[in-house]
Structures are given as C-alpha cells and as structure tokens.
Amino acid sequence: MKKLRIALPLFGVLLLAAACNRDTDFNYYYYEPADYTLLSQYLNLPERPHNYESVLPKHLSALGLAARPVQQNKVILGRVLFYDKNLSKDGSVSCASCHKQELAFSDNAAVSRGVFDRAGDRNSIALGSVLNFSAYYGTDLFGPSGIPFFWDNRAGTASEQNIGSMTNPKEMDMSHSDIVSAVQAQPYYEPLFRIAFGNGQISSERVSEAIAEFVNAIGSFHSKFDREAEQTIGYNVYNDAEYTNFSGFTAEENRGKKIYLDHCAACHSPTQSRPAMMKGNNGLDAASPDPGVGGITGLPADMGLFKVPLLRNIALTAPYMHDGRFATLEEVVEHYNSGIKAHPNLSFELRSGAEPKRLNLTDTQKQDLVAFLKTLTDEQLLTDVRFSDPFK
Amino acid sequence: MATKRSCFVWIAALLLCDGCTHYYYAPNSLQTPFLQQRGDTRVSLGFIGGDEFNGFEAHAAYSPIRYGAVMVNYFQVQSNYSDNTASDWGRGRLTEVALGAYYPAHKYLSFSLFAGWGGGRVLNSYTDGAKSDLHFERRFIQPGFAVQGKWARVGMAFRFNRLKYLHGDIDLEIGEPHLTTIGNIEEASPVYVPEFGLSFGFGARPIWIDLGINLNNSYDASKLGFAGSTTRITLNCELDHFWRKHPARP
C-alpha cells in the first residue's frame, strides 16, 4: 500500500516525461483527397497550389503600375484550360499552341496555324508582358485609359480577348455551347470549377473568366534589364535616370540602351513598363493591306495603325510585326534605320518633318541596339512551372 | 449567470464578429477537488464558455488510497452561433486523466498536486466550408489547494501545460489570417502554457455549485489563436457521501 502511495505520483511524473516525442506534422491540403486522386490521373498539379501573387520591381511600381490582383483558384483552372486541346474544334489546338511558354508565350510562325491547320491573319503576340502593366492592361479597371488587346486593339479585356480566340474559325473555332460541352466532357473540370467558383457549374463565361485570370497572372519582369533597372533607376523614374549606365550591362548594351531611349522609347516605353501610346504606324508599308485599328473603328486616322507592343522577350518572339514580316531583330533595326515608308498615318515620332525619319546608324550602333534588345529576355518566365503545361 | 453570460456573448458576437474568431485552444477548468481521505469520490458537470464559444465539462476525482488520487476531465466546446453562415464554426474537445497526491492539512484545507496526460481535437470550419482539423496532446502538472467550509468553498490552482499539436489537416482554402495562425502553432509546438484557475463555491455536502474562471497566461495566446480565458458554472456532487456508512467528517 505504501509502495503504491509513492508509485502513483511517480507514475504521473513519468507520464509527463515519457518522451513519446512525435513531431508536429501538419498536412496542408488544397484539394480533397478524392478530387486530387482524380485530378492526378490527368494533370500534374502540386498538392499545395503555386502562389500567383506578384510584386513588381521598383522601376515599374514607381510608375504606379501594380500587379493585377488575381484569384488563385481561377488561375489554377485557367492554366488547365489554356493548355487543353479539347477546347478546339478538331482537338488539335490549345491557346498554348500559338502562345508557347518557351517563346515567351508567342509563336514562331509568321501567321499562327489554328484548327485544321488553317492559317490565321496575323502574328501571335507574346503574352509575357501582360502582368507588368496589368493594372492598365485591359479596359475593365481603368476604362479607356487601359490598354486593349490584339494588334488592332479590338478586345477590351482578357476575357473578351480569349472568347475571341476560342470562337475564331481560324483559331479554335468553337461556339459557346461547344465550349461548355467540351469542358463538361472532361472529368477533371468538375472539381476545378467547384474550387474556383464555389460550385461545379460550367459556362462559357466562367471558362473565359478563368483563362483571363491565368493570362493576367503571367508576368515577365526578371530580365537582365529589370535587374539592372531596379538597382539603378529604382523609384527614381522621373528625371532621366534611365540614361544612367547600368553597371551590370556591357558597354555595347549600354550604348544600345542610349540609342533605344533616343529613338524607340517614345513609343515602346523607356522602362518596358507600358507602351507610351496604344497604337501607331511604324511605316512598314506606304499603303497597308491590313487596316489594323482602322478596320475596327472605321476612322481614316486609324487606318494602318497597330498596337504598339512592349518589347519584353523580343529576342524570342520572332518573326516580328503583326504579319511576321521580319525574321530577325537585325531586319527590324534596319527597317527603323533606313526602311520607314511614308504611310499617310505614319506616326509623328518616326518622321522628320514630312519625310520618314532616317536614323543613319553605323553597323556597330545597330549591333549595340540589338544587344540591348536582348537584355529584355526573361529566362525565368520560360521555365516557370506555374505557367507550364499541367497535362500528363 | 449562464444565460446572462451567453446573452453577453451574443451581443459581443454581433458587434465584434465579422468573419469570426477561430480558436485552436481554450483552457478547460482547473479542478481542485477537496480530497480528505481514501474513498473520496467527486463528480461534477458544468457549463463552460469563453469569447464566442461555449460548451460543457465533466470531471471525476477519486482517491483509491490515502493521499493518492486519480482525476478524469472531459471538455467540449463549440462556437457556431456567431453568424448566420452555416459554414463558419469551431469545435474543440479534450479528454485527459491525471494522477496525483493530496494532503489534507486541515479539516478545511487540502493541498493537491496532479500530473496529467490527455488529448483532444479542434475542428474549425471557415467561410465556404473549408476546414482545419488539429489534434493535440497535453501534459500538465497542477499544484493547487481547496478550502471548504460548511457552506462555502474556494479552490485555486496553477497548471503548467505542455501542449503539443501532433497532426492536423488544413485546407489551404481557409486563407489568411488563419493559415498564419496555424503556421505559428506548427512552429511553436510544443507550446508551454501556464494557466491559473480560481473558483468559489457554495452549497453543503454533498452538493456544491462552483463559479470559476480559468486564465491562460501564455504570452503568445493571440498569435496562436488561443482563447485567453474561460468561465464556468459547475454542479458538484460528493458521491462517497451516499455509500459511506459513517458520514465523512464535516
């Protein structure tokens, strides 16, 4: 009895000390186990979703640019839709067919090929730039001061844009109800829609909204140019700080930057943030066969005007211009140097007086400019798994 | 008392609760059974509540040998009344056993020291029905004393807890700030939580009613989503009274 008296409290202390030292092990999940098993049969989605939030570097945020807030759940769904060939008439084409990640989401064909190998009218646009000025990209947040989509500025928002691509007979050639039934036919969409929208109901609006979230989440701001600009320009964007030589640039690249700032930045943006103007004519032809923006607005002043593209990742997005007429950056530079045609709507920045401007660059200067354009390549974007093909 | 309190909780909930607080730990009552001799048997049932949650408790303490005792505690709370969306709620429970020693220093005074071990679970559901489900183990040492007179009594105890979260399933959909809080718990675990309990009772043998408060003094309580305090009202019965041939000393 006495023994027990001592044993009891002792036992209690032992209980406390007894190191059944299991580690704390929290399991965070995003998908219900059953959903994840199903999804994993078709898709490589990480158990814990990627983070799609972005913080822009100083030289971009200083200009008031902000990453567009995206809804992660919809981005995840949008990524799958973006890569899904089932969303096209003949099951052969997805958005990614003409917007290839390894090419900064552009295409290497002069005019992209859609379903049944039909040729489109224009050269694909690289999507890697979208997020950089996303708060201004699309007309839904800032109205008419937002930058519209397409070479001819015909779509106001990313969602209008992608419905355009899906229904375009030369691209994916689907009707709204085709889209819905194509999506319904795939078992992996029910859980993805449920997570993205709260219920599994599928509509073409939801498809389009999700793809738009994905496109809006793609951002490119990790180029050599960005690294240097963040350091050298930082928040100091308003007093020609961009003219300061970048310490990490070669002499050639710095000289090229100066030429770029003098002759190109007025349209294409000194900091690669947002184009200084939404549309322009850069003198490709004296009379353009493609009316561009004018074809949409019908205004004579818009005839032959095209979207001024950002030049991020430009080294990867050959061929160049809306019709893919130039195969190399050297050809592009030569065009601006000596080839500008006197189109009636030729933009003011490319004129000297009434005549098309001639830059008269030396061969070295041309090489310098090309070297600078190559600093705009963002290698990280090309392999960023968050934007990669999720299909097995 | 209980209704008054829940009334208060209701109003507080309406005023304060948008998107609702979720707790991952709350102190159960620190029991200070008034033990005097071998065979003493105490059981109790009570309501317990805190900010935006409430529930019930059951306790038992028994002395199989002189100066030695076992104690069992069960604690269960929920918060689901604080807004109208059915998906925002929390539930917690804890079951534990303790072994201890007591020393009846006086016929009105008894000291006790318990060492206990138990486990529990906190299940929270957030907006849109996403859930977090944490399982924990708790070990504690609890020194305390009880003073019991003819009509009134007082109990006081400290409890030093080692609270370890063993495993959990957390839907990432619960979002912030909850993920940060749970991340803090994961990082801090095991957490050492000092607690203090005080109760006042009235009645007469063998029935007592206690009102008590339990305070969680852990420094990081809010960072970890721990409730800072609970209050209780408990109905106690000295069961041994019914089978003892000779009624116990006063």
Side-chain angles (χ1 to χ4, degrees):
Chain A
M1 211 51 180
K2 199 153 205 157
K3 267 188 197 148
L4 200 64
R5 224 170 279 154
I6 304 165
L8 266 179
L10 212 76
F11 179 59
V13 174
L14 278 178
L15 254 182
L16 266 172
C20 123
N21 264 332
R22 281 194 281 161
D23 278 335
T24 302
D25 177 21
F26 283 2
N27 161 40
Y28 295 86
Y29 66 93
Y30 174 78
Y31 305 100
E32 301 287 341
D35 288 344
Y36 194 67
T37 314
L38 169 70
L39 291 171
S40 298
Q41 286 173 29
Y42 305 90
L43 301 163
N44 282 314
L45 294 175
E47 263 177 272
R48 289 180 79 154
H50 300 299
N51 181 3
Y52 286 98
E53 275 158 37
S54 302
V55 180
L56 299 189
K58 291 179 203 150
H59 59 286
L60 297 179
S61 60
L63 292 158
L65 302 181
R68 178 185 276 264
V70 290
Q71 300 173 49
Q72 310 258 5
N73 301 344
K74 292 182 185 164
V75 177
I76 291 164
L77 167 62
R79 174 177 167 216
V80 177
L81 291 163
F82 188 90
Y83 282 95
D84 197 339
K85 294 192 167 131
N86 294 308
L87 262 66
S88 64
K89 195 88 183 178
D90 65 354
S92 72
V93 173
S94 72
C95 306
S97 308
C98 308
H99 300 285
K100 302 187 171 83
Q101 183 178 22
E102 65 274 21
L103 301 174
F105 297 98
S106 69
D107 191 3
N108 45 8
V111 291
S112 301
R113 298 259 158 195
V115 288
F116 307 109
D117 211 25
R118 292 174 192 154
D121 303 316
R122 294 188 182 133
N123 184 229
S124 170
I125 302 181
L127 306 184
S129 290
V130 176
L131 180 138
N132 295 289
F133 40 98
S134 57
Y136 291 98
Y137 214 85
T139 51
D140 51 342
L141 294 182
F142 287 89
S145 71
I147 298 165
F149 290 87
F150 285 132
W151 282 114
D152 52 14
N153 289 351
R154 67 182 181 279
T157 64
S159 135
E160 244 177 76
Q161 180 285 318
N162 66 49
I163 278 288
S165 289
M166 284 186 280
T167 53
N168 186 335
K170 291 177 177 170
E171 296 187 1
M172 298 159 91
D173 195 18
M174 302 282 274
S175 69
H176 286 249
S177 61
D178 287 346
I179 297 170
V180 172
S181 39
V183 170
Q184 272 168 347
Q186 305 309 321
Y188 43 86
Y189 280 122
E190 193 280 332
L192 290 173
F193 272 77
R194 180 158 32 79
I195 294 165
F197 291 98
N199 62 52
Q201 198 188 316
I202 291 162
S203 66
S204 58
E205 289 76 19
R206 284 184 168 186
V207 170
S208 150
E209 189 185 337
I211 299 180
E213 288 292 293
F214 177 70
V215 168
N216 283 329
I218 301 176
S220 168
F221 42 86
H222 295 108
S223 64
K224 183 174 184 185
F225 172 84
D226 289 299
R227 285 194 295 277
E228 294 299 316
E230 166 133 51
Q231 264 183 33
T232 310
I233 308 180
Y235 289 123
N236 192 14
V237 282
Y238 290 112
N239 38 20
D240 293 344
E242 61 270 16
Y243 275 95
T244 315
N245 276 347
F246 290 171
S247 57
F249 267 20
T250 62
E252 194 185 23
E253 288 163 351
N254 270 318
R255 289 195 304 269
K257 175 159 74 75
K258 170 99 177 27
I259 301 170
Y260 174 84
L261 290 170
D262 289 344
H263 299 295
C264 321
C267 298
H268 289 290
S269 161
T271 49
Q272 312 302 325
S273 52
R274 60 175 298 201
M277 55 171 76
M278 288 183 206
K279 54 191 177 185
N281 178 290
N282 62 349
L284 293 174
D285 303 291
S288 39
D290 185 334
V293 181
I296 304 298
T297 62
L299 300 174
D302 282 343
M303 290 301 166
L305 266 54
F306 290 88
K307 175 194 199 83
V308 180
L310 265 195
L311 300 183
R312 289 180 170 278
N313 300 305
I314 195 69
L316 300 169
T317 67
Y320 301 105
M321 306 300 164
H322 68 268
D323 51 6
R325 67 174 63 190
F326 299 130
T328 63
L329 284 176
E330 285 74 11
E331 286 175 41
V332 172
V333 168
E334 197 48 58
H335 161 71
Y336 283 107
N337 184 52
S338 61
I340 308 245
K341 313 276 187 325
H343 190 281
N345 286 333
L346 176 62
S347 291
F348 153 84
E349 290 79 0
L350 294 171
R351 292 172 185 261
S352 66
E355 293 305 303
K357 197 163 152 184
R358 297 286 173 249
L359 300 181
N360 300 319
L361 302 174
T362 64
D363 283 352
T364 327
Q365 285 174 316
K366 288 180 214 163
Q367 282 163 23
D368 293 346
L369 182 53
V370 171
F372 168 74
L373 292 173
K374 287 184 176 162
T375 67
L376 302 177
T377 301
D378 175 353
E379 305 286 345
Q380 194 174 317
L381 175 72
L382 313 181
T383 52
D384 192 333
V385 44
R386 299 177 302 158
F387 306 117
S388 64
D389 186 347
F391 282 92
K392 283 201 162 154
Chain B
M1 174 69 189
T3 42
K4 232 185 200 161
R5 174 159 179 98
S6 61
C7 237
F8 169 75
V9 166
W10 257 103
I11 292 165
L14 289 175
L15 292 177
L16 302 173
C17 180
D18 66 295
C20 267
T21 327
H22 288 271
Y23 291 112
Y24 304 98
Y25 174 79
N28 63 333
S29 297
L30 286 85
Q31 282 301 302
T32 50
F34 185 72
L35 297 170
Q36 289 268 310
Q37 56 176 301
R38 180 175 162 211
D40 277 0
T41 311
R42 317 274 180 252
V43 293
S44 67
L45 266 180
F47 292 106
I48 184 161
D51 188 12
E52 297 177 25
F53 63 89
N54 59 30
F56 81 95
E57 288 187 295
H59 296 279
Y62 170 65
S63 168
I65 53 168
R66 193 156 177 239
Y67 300 146
V70 288
M71 179 162 88
V72 185
N73 298 325
Y74 178 77
F75 166 73
Q76 173 180 321
V77 287
Q78 60 274 319
S79 64
N80 56 0
Y81 45 82
S82 37
D83 74 10
N84 292 328
T85 63
S87 65
D88 219 346
W89 49 257
R91 276 176 216 154
R93 66 164 198 256
L94 166 68
T95 314
E96 61 193 1
V97 293
L99 295 176
Y102 62 88
Y103 179 67
H106 185 272
K107 67 175 178 178
Y108 297 124
L109 174 64
S110 172
F111 290 99
S112 60
L113 176 67
F114 283 99
W117 174 83
R121 175 178 177 193
V122 217
L123 180 63
N124 274 290
S125 170
Y126 309 77
T127 324
D128 292 340
K131 292 184 183 56
S132 76
D133 184 2
L134 309 187
H135 295 253
F136 62 87
E137 172 209 74
R138 196 179 76 170
R139 302 172 194 186
F140 67 83
I141 290 192
Q142 179 193 312
F145 70 86
V147 178
Q148 180 165 308
K150 228 173 166 145
W151 313 110
R153 63 186 202 168
V154 177
M156 199 177 105
F158 291 95
R159 186 166 62 199
F160 303 100
N161 302 289
R162 178 183 180 273
L163 182 63
K164 177 144 192 179
Y165 287 81
L166 299 174
H167 56 99
D169 289 303
I170 299 115
D171 187 338
L172 289 161
E173 281 289 273
I174 66 175
E176 293 299 350
H178 313 295
L179 283 174
T180 302
T181 308
I182 291 176
N184 290 342
I185 292 175
E186 186 174 14
E187 201 172 299
S189 178
V191 194
Y192 292 90
V193 188
E195 286 167 339
F196 171 74
L198 183 64
S199 69
F200 294 99
F202 54 89
R205 305 196 113 171
I207 302 291
W208 297 90
I209 289 175
D210 288 330
L211 302 175
I213 181 159
N214 311 295
L215 300 175
N216 166 352
N217 300 311
S218 78
Y219 185 68
D220 287 330
S222 68
K223 206 177 107 189
L224 302 173
F226 289 2
S229 66
T230 48
T231 51
R232 60 160 165 136
I233 178 165
T234 315
L235 180 68
N236 302 269
C237 180
E238 301 181 340
L239 279 186
D240 49 81
H241 180 85
F242 298 107
W243 59 68
R244 272 217 172 102
K245 294 210 182 73
H246 310 290
R249 286 169 293 176

